């Protein structure tokens, strides 16, 4: 008995069902879903100012522009420094009881683990100096949101003529003392589609499928020959 080609063709669906079906030409892709959008409010803009870094009596930067609602963080280096708010026409002395003052930050090496952070409430110029004796006169002064008529160069020149720095007698105020804030940049999540690489499980599965199908057809032909 010889099985006709029609019978052999009719056996193909059975073979396909046995080995899982499918086409080797179709390379499945997998997509990883993107991370859910964060519901956390965006972080406040923070600008960093170092004080006395590399043994230099400077604020770095000594001039910055800061928007209302943003923050300015002062990071202190050895040996001892502070940041005090002053008036433009009275450098090297506290602006008054309403001005901010960090207190003295004494550091043996590297930057102090804590910082002093202020929040910008308006765009008026904010003049600052270091309250450590002699530092203000030597140029450790700066400004936030300067204007055209009141410049840092004028303020620094006036500070150089001061006989001595007046360190605040009141406790630290007007800002937050806490661990140095690290700037975190969140990378946007994305959806990734991956196609199987050569030798991947999906390709192996396809090869196994068609090898099994071929074996089934060959076996059917062999049985047909035996029964002839």
């Amino acid at each position: 008995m010889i099985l006709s080609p029609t019978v052999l063709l009719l056996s193909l669906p059975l073979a396909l069902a046995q080995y899982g079906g499918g086409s080797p030409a179709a390379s499945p892709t997998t997509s990883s879903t993107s991370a859910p959008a964060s519901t956390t409010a965006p972080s406040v803009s923070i600008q960093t100012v170092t004080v006395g870094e590399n043994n230099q009596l400077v604020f770095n930067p000594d001039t910055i522009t800061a928007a209302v609602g943003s923050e300015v963080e002062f990071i202190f280096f050895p040996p001892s420094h502070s940041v005090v708010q002053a008036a433009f026409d009275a450098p090297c002395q506290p602006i008054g009881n309403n001005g901010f003052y960090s207190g003295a930050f004494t550091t043996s090496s590297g930057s102090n683990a804590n910082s002093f952070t202020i929040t910008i409430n308006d765009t008026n110029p904010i003049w600052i100096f270091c309250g450590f004796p002699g530092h203000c006169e030597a140029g450790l002064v700066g400004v936030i949101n300067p204007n055209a008529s009141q410049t840092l160069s004028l303020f620094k020149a006036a500070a150089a003529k001061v006989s001595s720095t007046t360190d605040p007698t009141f406790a630290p105020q007007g800002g937050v003392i806490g661990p140095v804030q690290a700037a975190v940049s969140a990378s946007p999540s994305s959806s990734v589609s991956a196609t199987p690489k050569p030798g991947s499980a999906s390709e192996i599965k396809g090869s196994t499928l068609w090898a099994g199908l071929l074996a089934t057809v060959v076996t059917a032909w062999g049985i047909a020959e035996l029964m002839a």
Side-chain angles (χ1 to χ4, degrees):
M1 176 181 179
I2 300 176
L3 295 179
S4 67
T6 302
V7 173
L8 291 175
L9 289 175
L10 290 175
S11 68
L12 291 180
L14 177 60
L16 285 173
Q18 177 181 356
Y19 289 98
S23 170
S27 298
T29 60
T30 57
S31 298
S32 61
T33 57
S34 58
S38 173
T39 56
T40 305
S43 60
V44 174
S45 173
I46 300 175
Q47 297 189 64
T48 299
V49 176
T50 61
V51 186
E53 187 176 9
N54 297 324
N55 294 319
Q56 297 181 342
L57 296 180
V58 294
F59 289 106
N60 184 25
D62 58 10
T63 303
I64 65 175
T65 300
V68 174
S70 66
E71 296 179 345
V72 177
E73 179 184 32
F74 296 91
I75 300 177
F76 301 90
F77 286 79
S80 183
H81 298 289
S82 67
V83 58
V84 190
Q85 186 176 0
F88 175 76
D89 55 359
C92 304
Q93 61 179 310
I95 194 172
N97 293 332
N98 294 326
F100 58 77
Y101 171 50
S102 67
F105 280 71
T106 300
T107 311
S108 58
S109 64
S111 62
N112 197 292
N114 287 330
S115 63
F116 181 74
T117 303
I118 63 171
T119 299
I120 305 302
N121 297 317
D122 55 52
T123 57
N124 296 326
I126 300 174
W127 303 95
I128 57 176
F129 70 96
C130 175
F132 194 84
H135 287 187
C136 180
E137 302 96 300
L140 190 41
V141 296
V143 61
I144 302 171
N145 295 330
N147 57 36
S149 61
Q150 298 178 334
T151 65
L152 179 60
S153 59
L154 293 173
F155 186 70
K156 186 177 292 188
K161 299 175 182 179
V162 172
S163 58
S164 63
T165 297
T166 302
D167 198 35
T169 57
F170 48 83
Q173 63 180 29
V176 176
I177 297 175
V180 172
Q181 303 180 68
V184 179
S185 179
S187 300
S189 58
S190 59
S191 177
V192 179
S193 295
T195 56
K197 296 181 180 179
S200 65
S202 58
E203 286 197 349
I204 292 172
K205 180 179 178 181
S207 299
T208 303
L209 165 69
W210 287 99
L213 177 60
L214 179 60
T216 300
V217 174
V218 170
T219 301
W221 275 112
I223 293 173
E225 290 294 330
L226 292 174
M227 297 180 64

